[in-house]
């Protein structure tokens, strides 16, 4: 019996019955076999200060992979530079800093991120430092390998992180003053979630931008340092503009992009406000600014006064020099960083920035065009150039007898170029010689490129050198001869720099160009005028924009016509616009039908009585009459309808945009149509 019992005891020891403890150990072994440790996948982030708070933003997937490849290449990271964000930023790996390439911006910290904790005030995750992330990863690896959890770590800020299990890891932040009670750090504060790997946190990681750049656009801002209602800088607004462009590529040109038939458009900002206000003018203004309503006065000095600065000869020169030199500098740097770029260049300006670009483009000189104009110039000028004296010029014109009059009035060649027909008449010069002299002045300026104005639109205002196609109206001459004289566009006299490239298109957003030209005294733009170096010009505006003005009525002043409506990006008109047009058409149809009915009633009332006829004849006559009346009624309706639905015939708006339309209007949002005045300011800042 004892042997049997001992044998059963041995069996029970060698083959024990399942117990709760043994079952759990088997489950842990299975779990370990299925969840072996895998290294974390790092992702690179950079830190930006947004609303006075540090915000960590992930690089796009391609840039992060490039940074990781450079980091893991085994080479020394010091001095290693990796271009990111389409080449607009450079990351210095050794310094872990990110620098802007084309504009001035504070450098931002770069971090190789693997572990994150949730922030205090928002749900955004904040990455741990690289050194502490490595400590966390090593602890996590030991916990997974040895199956020993509830590990406690202390961060460099003396905060406690506890790894309960792979799904639950928390970060305790001490509460100020709680140490007086002797409580442990794990019992203080609200626990915050800790996550391992970027794939476990809620963050948007975009794909990279296409490497191929098909077109380059420089964007010039308007007045003030802020460009929208959120008081963002030109760099931030252009970044949004670029993001919208990339999104439209994916939605509207997806197939062409997948087939690599197209690349992308690069938008680069041009800032002139900072250089202008770094000249010391702000200090001078502050000395004379009243202390009351301080914020409003500061806003006026920093924003509104930019318009007056541009009308000042001194600061206008600073502004145009800054804009032109910045565009030339950025263009040169862009070509250095993109040597394979073969695309075109365009420029875009918002508000006052569009006026600055308009004046710069108007004063460019096409070298080929200058040579051609010299070849086509009259022989009277080409023989001696512009070296002849006034006496020799008058002798060529066979008007030597009038030299004594000019000598008496102390009029030299430059003064003569400023004389008008009225001035010559007051000197006592007859009509015939006056016309000869004025025609000679115009011919000489065309051939030699001297564009001195011959009329001052206002006292104390000098005129810039602008081609004759931009003309003032001569109100004193109503004979039809010389209705428009070559007198520039009334801008202060500055020396305009030359661009080192020829823009293909000039885009003006919310532009006051038309108003400024009118205020300067310009009445119309010659239909044959075009920019010397730029082929296209689009004036784009919101219908409620209080700063925007049209251009086409200055080219075709005698014709009234609507601007071109820009389609919605989904390829249709907004619903409220379609509803408005439908109601307009319906009211026109009702009006036409009502007029037709009244006209028929009046005709039947005033018609003379017919003589009595036989029944058959009367029936035939009645039928014929009804047919003719119905035809007349249909003709009337057709005429009225044709008037109502008749499309505007093609309009010749000149060569400023290569013969195509210039003015383009955006479609307002439905909510904006309820009150134009409420959304007026927002309409001027909506273009980004």
């Amino acid at each position: 019996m004892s042997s049997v019992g001992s044998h059963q005891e041995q069996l029970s020891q060698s083959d024990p019955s399942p117990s709760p403890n043994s079952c759990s150990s088997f489950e842990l072994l299975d779990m370990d076999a299925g969840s072996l440790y895998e290294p974390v996948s790092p992702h690179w982030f950079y830190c930006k200060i947004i609303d006075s708070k540090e915000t960590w933003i992930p690089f796009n997937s391609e840039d992060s992979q490039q940074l990781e490849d450079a980091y893991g290449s085994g080479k020394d990271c010091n001095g290693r530079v990796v271009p990111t964000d389409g080449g607009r930023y450079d990351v210095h790996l050794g310094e872990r800093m990110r620098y802007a390439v084309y504009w001035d911006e504070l450098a931002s910290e770069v971090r190789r991120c693997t572990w994150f904790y949730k922030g205090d005030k928002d749900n955004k995750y904040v990455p741990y430092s690289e050194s502490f992330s490595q400590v966390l990863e090593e602890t996590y690896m030991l916990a997974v390998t040895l199956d020993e959890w509830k590990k406690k770590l202390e961060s460099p800020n003396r905060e406690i992180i506890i790894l309960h299990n792979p799904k639950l890891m928390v970060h305790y932040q001490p509460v100020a003053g709680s140490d007086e009670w002797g409580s442990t750090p794990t019992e203080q504060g609200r626990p915050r979630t800790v996550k391992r790997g970027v794939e476990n946190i809620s963050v948007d990681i975009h794909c990279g931008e296409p490497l191929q750049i098909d077109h380059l656009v420089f964007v010039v801002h308007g007045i003030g340092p802020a460009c929208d209602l959120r008081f963002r800088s030109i760099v931030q607004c252009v970044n949004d503009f670029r993001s919208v462009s990339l999104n439209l590529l994916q939605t509207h040109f997806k197939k062409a992009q997948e087939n690599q038939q197209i690349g992308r458009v690069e938008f680069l900002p041009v800032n002139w406000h900072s250089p202008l206000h770094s000249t010391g003018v702000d200090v001078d203004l502050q000395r004379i600014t009243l202390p009351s309503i301080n914020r409003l006065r500061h806003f006026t000095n920093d924003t509104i006064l930019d318009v007056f600065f541009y009308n000042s000869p001194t600061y206008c020169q600073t502004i145009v020099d800054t804009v032109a030199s910045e565009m030339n500098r950025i263009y040169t740097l862009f070509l250095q960083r993109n040597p394979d770029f073969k695309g075109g260049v365009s420029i875009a300006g918002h508000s006052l920035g569009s006026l600055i670009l308009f004046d710069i483009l108007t004063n460019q000189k096409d070298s080929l065009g200058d040579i051609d104009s010299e070849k086509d110039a009259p022989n009277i000028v080409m023989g001696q150039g512009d070296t002849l004296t006034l006496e020799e010029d008058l002798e060529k014109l066979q008007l030597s007898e009038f030299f004594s009059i000019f000598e008496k009035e102390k009029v030299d060649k430059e003064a003569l170029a400023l004389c008008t027909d009225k001035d010559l008449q007051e000197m006592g010069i007859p009509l015939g010689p006056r016309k000869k002299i004025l025609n000679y002045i115009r011919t000489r300026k065309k051939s030699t490129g001297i564009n001195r104005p011959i009329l001052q639109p206002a006292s104390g205002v000098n005129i810039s050198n602008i081609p004759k196609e931009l003309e003032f109206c001569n109100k004193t001459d109503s004979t039809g001869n010389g209705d428009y004289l070559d007198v520039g566009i009334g801008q202060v006299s500055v020396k305009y720099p030359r661009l080192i490239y020829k823009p293909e298109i000039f885009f003006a957003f919310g532009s006051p160009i038309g108003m400024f030209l009118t205020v300067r005294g310009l009445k119309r733009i010659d239909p044959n005028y075009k920019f010397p170096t730029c082929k296209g010009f689009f004036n784009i505006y919101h219908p409620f924009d209080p700063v925007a003005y049209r251009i086409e009525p200055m080219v075709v002043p005698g014709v009234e016509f609507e601007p071109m409506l820009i389609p919605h990006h989904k390829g249709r008109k907004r619903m409220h616009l379609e509803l408005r047009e439908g109601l307009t058409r319906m009211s026109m149809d009702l009006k036409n039908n009502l007029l037709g009915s009244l006209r028929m009633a009046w005709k039947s009332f005033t018609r003379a009585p017919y003589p009595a006829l036989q029944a058959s004849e009367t029936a035939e006559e009645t039928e014929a009459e009804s047919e003719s009346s119905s035809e007349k009624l249909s003709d009337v309706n057709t005429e009225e309808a044709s008037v109502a639905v008749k499309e505007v015939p093609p309009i010749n708006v000149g060569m400023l945009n290569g013969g195509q339309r210039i003015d383009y209007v955006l479609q307002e949002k439905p909510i904006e149509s309820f009150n134009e005045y409420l959304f007026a300011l927002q309409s001027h800042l909506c273009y980004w």
Side-chain angles (χ1 to χ4, degrees):
M1 294 290 294
S2 60
S3 62
V4 173
S6 62
H7 179 68
Q8 289 179 348
E9 186 177 351
Q10 290 176 0
L11 287 175
S12 64
Q13 290 177 357
S14 62
D15 188 17
S17 61
S19 64
N21 292 334
S22 62
C23 288
S24 61
S25 64
F26 287 148
E27 289 173 1
L28 286 174
L29 289 174
D30 292 339
M31 185 180 69
D32 290 341
S35 59
L36 295 175
Y37 169 77
E38 293 183 2
V40 65
S41 298
H43 195 93
W44 291 74
F45 282 65
Y46 62 92
C47 181
K48 293 206 71 173
I49 306 298
I50 301 177
D51 297 333
S52 302
K53 295 188 303 182
E54 287 189 355
T55 303
W56 287 89
I57 303 173
F59 285 96
N60 64 59
S61 54
E62 291 185 5
D63 289 344
S64 179
Q65 189 60 47
Q66 284 188 1
L67 291 169
E68 185 63 22
D69 293 343
Y71 173 81
S73 62
K75 299 179 181 179
D76 186 12
C77 290
N78 293 327
R80 189 76 182 270
V81 179
V82 179
T84 62
D85 299 276
R88 296 180 297 275
Y89 289 89
D90 282 341
V91 172
H92 294 240
L93 275 183
E95 303 175 19
R96 290 293 197 274
M97 298 297 287
R98 173 177 176 264
Y99 297 93
V101 173
Y102 298 108
W103 55 82
D104 293 331
E105 183 179 316
L106 291 176
S108 53
E109 182 185 352
V110 173
R111 191 174 290 179
R112 182 177 181 264
C113 305
T114 53
W115 285 77
F116 307 84
Y117 66 92
K118 187 171 288 188
D120 291 328
K121 298 180 180 179
D122 51 22
N123 292 325
K124 294 183 178 179
Y125 281 87
V126 180
Y128 288 103
S129 65
E130 292 188 34
S131 57
F132 188 65
S133 293
Q134 188 173 357
V135 174
L136 283 169
E137 184 64 20
E138 291 174 355
T139 306
Y140 177 85
M141 181 180 65
L142 290 175
V144 171
T145 305
L146 303 177
D147 190 26
E148 296 178 358
W149 292 98
K150 294 189 177 180
K151 297 278 188 179
K152 289 185 181 180
L153 293 92
E154 186 174 342
S155 72
N157 298 329
R158 302 190 64 80
E159 297 173 354
I160 300 300
I161 295 91
I162 302 179
L163 309 182
H164 291 285
N165 57 56
K167 301 296 183 182
L168 180 60
M169 296 174 282
V170 291
H171 178 134
Y172 291 94
Q173 186 177 18
V175 179
S178 62
D179 287 339
E180 297 175 1
W181 300 95
S183 56
T184 60
T186 57
E187 298 172 345
Q188 299 170 4
R190 182 180 179 183
R192 293 182 288 179
T193 307
V194 176
K195 294 291 185 181
R196 174 180 179 266
V198 71
E199 63 275 3
N200 293 318
I201 65 174
S202 56
V203 62
D204 293 330
I205 299 178
H206 302 285
C207 298
E209 303 175 10
L211 296 178
Q212 177 185 342
I213 300 176
D214 295 337
H215 205 83
L216 174 63
V217 180
F218 294 114
V219 184
V220 181
H221 65 86
I223 61 174
C227 296
D228 64 356
L229 290 177
R230 289 188 282 172
F231 297 98
R232 295 184 304 169
S233 66
I234 178 64
V235 174
Q236 295 171 302
C237 290
V238 171
N239 286 343
D240 269 7
F241 201 87
R242 188 186 305 108
S243 299
V244 172
S245 171
L246 292 173
N247 291 335
L248 289 177
L249 281 179
Q250 297 174 1
T251 56
H252 290 63
F253 306 96
K254 187 174 183 179
K255 186 173 292 185
Q257 194 174 27
E258 290 176 351
N259 297 334
Q260 297 184 349
Q261 296 175 350
I262 60 172
R264 63 182 176 91
V265 179
E266 179 64 280
F267 297 90
L268 297 178
V270 177
N271 182 12
W272 56 266
H273 181 270
S274 299
L276 170 66
H277 288 262
S278 63
T279 57
V281 65
D282 287 352
V283 178
D284 299 335
L285 285 173
Q286 191 61 37
R287 284 199 297 264
I288 60 176
T289 301
L290 301 182
S292 59
I293 52 172
N294 184 44
R295 291 186 178 180
L296 181 58
R297 295 186 190 277
H298 175 73
F299 173 78
T300 301
N301 291 348
D302 204 32
T303 303
I304 306 298
L305 289 188
D306 285 350
V307 179
F308 299 96
F309 283 137
Y310 190 64
N311 287 320
S312 160
T314 302
Y315 295 107
C316 180
Q317 186 69 62
T318 301
I319 292 173
V320 297
D321 285 346
T322 301
V323 172
S325 62
E326 270 294 285
M327 289 195 294
N328 288 339
R329 179 190 68 82
I330 296 174
Y331 179 71
T332 303
L333 183 58
F334 178 83
L335 291 183
Q336 291 175 359
R337 297 176 64 89
N338 301 272
D340 297 330
F341 176 71
K342 303 297 181 182
V345 183
S346 294
I347 55 178
H350 174 241
S351 190
L352 183 64
S354 64
L355 178 66
I356 298 170
L357 293 177
F358 181 87
D359 289 337
I360 291 176
L361 288 179
T362 307
N363 286 273
Q364 295 300 297
K365 291 183 179 179
D366 187 357
S367 57
L368 297 178
D370 292 345
I371 295 174
D372 294 339
S373 63
E374 289 178 4
K375 291 180 180 179
D376 297 336
N379 293 331
I380 188 173
V381 180
M382 290 300 294
Q384 298 289 337
D386 193 42
T387 59
L388 299 178
T389 63
L390 176 60
E391 185 176 5
E392 292 171 337
D393 286 338
L394 292 174
E395 184 178 353
K396 279 184 170 293
L397 296 173
Q398 298 179 353
L399 299 174
S400 301
E401 63 270 22
F402 299 105
F403 177 70
S404 58
I405 298 177
F406 292 123
E407 192 176 21
K408 180 181 178 182
E409 297 289 340
K410 297 183 179 180
V411 175
D412 56 8
K413 289 183 68 172
E414 293 185 359
L416 182 61
L418 299 172
C419 290
T420 63
D421 184 81
K422 186 177 180 181
D423 295 332
L424 297 177
Q425 185 178 3
E426 290 177 353
M427 293 183 195
I429 298 177
L431 178 62
R434 288 204 311 268
K435 293 298 181 182
K436 282 186 177 182
I437 293 172
L438 292 174
N439 181 64
Y440 172 68
I441 293 173
R442 284 195 292 269
T443 305
R444 183 168 60 88
K445 285 195 291 186
K446 284 183 185 177
S447 59
T448 60
I450 301 175
N451 289 316
R452 298 188 186 93
I454 62 173
L455 175 66
Q456 294 287 350
S459 60
V461 179
N462 294 326
I463 312 298
S464 63
N465 301 333
I466 302 297
K468 72 174 286 292
E469 288 81 356
L470 300 177
E471 302 159 325
F472 287 86
C473 178
N474 182 12
K475 299 179 180 179
T476 61
D477 188 2
S478 59
T479 61
N481 297 325
D483 287 339
Y484 297 95
L485 299 179
D486 175 17
V487 291
I489 60 170
Q491 172 63 323
V492 293
S493 180
V494 297
K495 183 178 180 181
Y496 287 92
R498 185 167 183 176
L499 301 178
I500 59 177
Y501 57 89
K502 294 183 179 180
E504 292 187 2
I505 304 292
F506 167 36
F507 299 95
F509 303 137
S511 172
I513 292 175
M515 180 270 291
F516 269 86
L517 294 182
T518 303
V519 169
R520 292 172 182 175
L522 188 71
K523 296 298 180 181
R524 67 181 290 267
I525 299 175
D526 191 284
N528 296 321
Y529 176 72
K530 57 184 178 181
F531 293 121
T533 59
C534 184
K535 299 177 182 178
F537 175 34
F538 290 94
N539 181 37
I540 301 171
Y541 59 92
H542 190 284
F544 303 154
D545 189 342
V547 180
Y549 289 82
R550 292 190 63 184
I551 296 293
E552 291 174 341
M554 299 190 70
V555 182
V556 192
V559 182
E560 292 186 4
F561 53 95
E562 295 294 324
M564 295 291 290
L565 185 68
I566 298 180
H568 193 268
H569 68 88
K570 293 183 179 178
R572 56 172 176 78
K573 290 183 181 178
R574 293 187 186 269
M575 186 175 296
H576 69 286
L577 294 179
E578 294 179 349
L579 181 61
R580 184 189 304 168
E581 290 185 0
L583 292 174
T584 303
R585 283 196 299 268
M586 187 173 66
S587 63
M588 289 298 298
D589 291 341
L590 290 174
K591 176 183 175 183
N592 295 334
N593 292 333
L594 180 60
L595 288 176
S597 301
L598 291 176
R599 191 176 289 111
M600 287 301 302
W602 177 254
K603 287 183 179 179
S604 63
F605 177 75
T606 57
R607 184 176 56 198
Y610 288 98
L613 299 173
Q614 297 179 357
S616 60
E617 294 176 356
T618 305
E620 292 175 1
E621 184 70 24
T622 305
E623 185 178 354
E625 181 186 335
S626 62
E627 290 179 359
S628 62
S629 62
S630 62
E631 289 177 0
K632 291 180 180 178
L633 179 59
S634 63
D635 291 342
V636 171
N637 290 338
T638 304
E639 290 176 3
E640 296 288 344
S642 64
V643 172
V645 188
K646 186 178 180 181
E647 296 182 357
V648 179
I651 301 170
N652 181 15
V653 292
M655 298 304 297
L656 200 54
N657 191 25
Q660 301 178 359
R661 295 293 300 272
I662 301 172
D663 293 335
Y664 288 80
V665 61
L666 294 168
Q667 302 181 36
E668 73 275 11
K669 296 178 181 178
I671 191 174
E672 294 174 341
S673 61
F674 287 113
N675 193 322
E676 301 176 359
Y677 297 93
L678 188 62
F679 295 95
L681 179 60
Q682 177 180 330
S683 300
H684 183 59
L685 304 173
C686 73
Y687 302 97
W688 309 113

